Amino acid sequence: MKAMPKLAAYALVGVGALIMLAPFYFMFVFATQSRTDIFNVPPPLFFSDELLNNIKVLTTRLPFWKNVGWSLYVGLMSTALTLLFCSMAGYAFAMLEFRFKKLLFALVMATMMVPAFMNMIPTFMVMDALGWIDTHRALYLPGAASAFGIFLMRQFAASTVPRELLSAARIDGASELGIYWRIALPLMKPALGTLGLITFISSWNNFMNPLIVLRSADNYTLPLALRSLFSTTSTEWGALMAGSAIATLPLIVLFVISSRQLIAGLTAGAVK
């Protein structure tokens, strides 16, 4: 009798997993189907042989591989800058003492309460004033010091970086920058991995910011490029599904490789 609740829990989790995985499965199946076959009733449940034709249509309608390259470039730049600036700010808020420290941290946290849609018009106006419209720097520079990243790094540094170790380094004559780079940063690797994964996935999937600042198809990132395939008369659904599947594969591989790192970074310091 005691095994029944456990079996019921496993069954519930299994059903939930199937429901969550079903859209991904059908996306990959539809990527191998023609546009007419996708709308058959019942819909196709198994793979077909139209994948190459769909990719051909995709690359004919779009500079697809260039769009993939731009998404990769923006994602890597966003990740690198976010890790640098957020780790520096988080270390400073956690380990250093300076005037208005609590007030400044409260202001940083308050920005998390501002709805994202309220930044759309100010973002466009600032990017236009800087002459960054239709440039990719407008996608990774404005968000390089995110409030969430600063909060995550600050909490992790406060719970894992020993103050005694920093004091010993200062006595030995190390500079604050050297202490941060050589001592604190290596100890913050789990949080850096977690923040890097979250930032890259967020940048890879970002649709709204490219929609605001990018204008030419050659500069589109993947979400915006795939959206341009939609048409009121003849949407190439097979090509769209093929592009979506190609865009999803790197994230699936990245998550499978680094899922343990993600969980470790989010739970570090929660249980001592």
Side-chain angles (χ1 to χ4, degrees), residues 87-89 91-98 161-163 165-186 188:
S87 63
M88 293 177 70
Y91 167 78
F93 279 123
M95 297 289 118
L96 304 182
E97 297 297 331
F98 49 90
V161 179
R163 292 182 179 272
L165 186 60
L166 305 186
S167 299
R170 293 189 183 101
I171 293 174
D172 289 339
S175 65
E176 289 298 333
L177 185 59
I179 293 172
Y180 155 77
W181 188 258
R182 297 178 183 177
I183 299 176
L185 201 60
M188 297 161 65

Side-chain angles (χ1 to χ4, degrees), residues 218-266:
D218 284 342
N219 287 335
Y220 282 173
T221 54
L222 267 178
L224 198 57
L226 293 177
R227 176 61 181 83
S228 67
L229 286 176
F230 280 97
S231 171
T232 56
T233 56
S234 59
T235 299
E236 292 290 345
W237 291 102
L240 182 61
M241 291 296 104
S244 300
I246 294 172
T248 303
L249 279 175
L251 299 185
I252 295 175
V253 174
L254 182 63
F255 182 78
V256 169
I257 294 174
S258 57
S259 58
R260 289 189 177 183
Q261 177 72 41
L262 174 65
I263 296 171
L266 290 175

Side-chain angles (χ1 to χ4, degrees), residues 43-102:
L45 299 178
F46 301 102
F47 297 96
S48 184
D49 56 358
E50 291 292 323
L51 177 61
L52 294 180
N53 290 333
N54 289 333
I55 293 178
K56 183 178 179 180
V57 173
L58 181 67
T59 53
T60 301
R61 297 278 297 270
L62 295 173
F64 181 73
W65 301 117
K66 182 180 288 188
N67 301 141
V68 172
W70 283 128
S71 283
L72 183 62
Y73 167 73
V74 172
L76 292 176
M77 289 297 296
S78 298
T79 303
L81 292 176
T82 298
L83 291 181
L84 175 64
F85 292 134
C86 290
S87 63
M88 293 177 70
Y91 167 78
F93 279 123
M95 297 289 118
L96 304 182
E97 297 297 331
F98 49 90
R99 293 184 63 186
F100 308 118
K101 172 181 171 179
K102 292 184 178 180

Side-chain angles (χ1 to χ4, degrees), residues 126-135 137:
V126 171
M127 296 302 104
D128 188 41
L130 293 173
W132 289 2
I133 296 298
D134 206 24
T135 64
R137 67 176 72 95

Side-chain angles (χ1 to χ4, degrees), residues 197-216:
L197 180 62
I198 293 173
T199 303
F200 184 84
I201 292 175
S202 176
S203 175
W204 186 270
N205 291 329
N206 192 2
F207 174 77
M208 189 56 65
N209 288 345
L211 181 65
I212 294 172
V213 299
L214 298 183
R215 292 292 177 269
S216 57

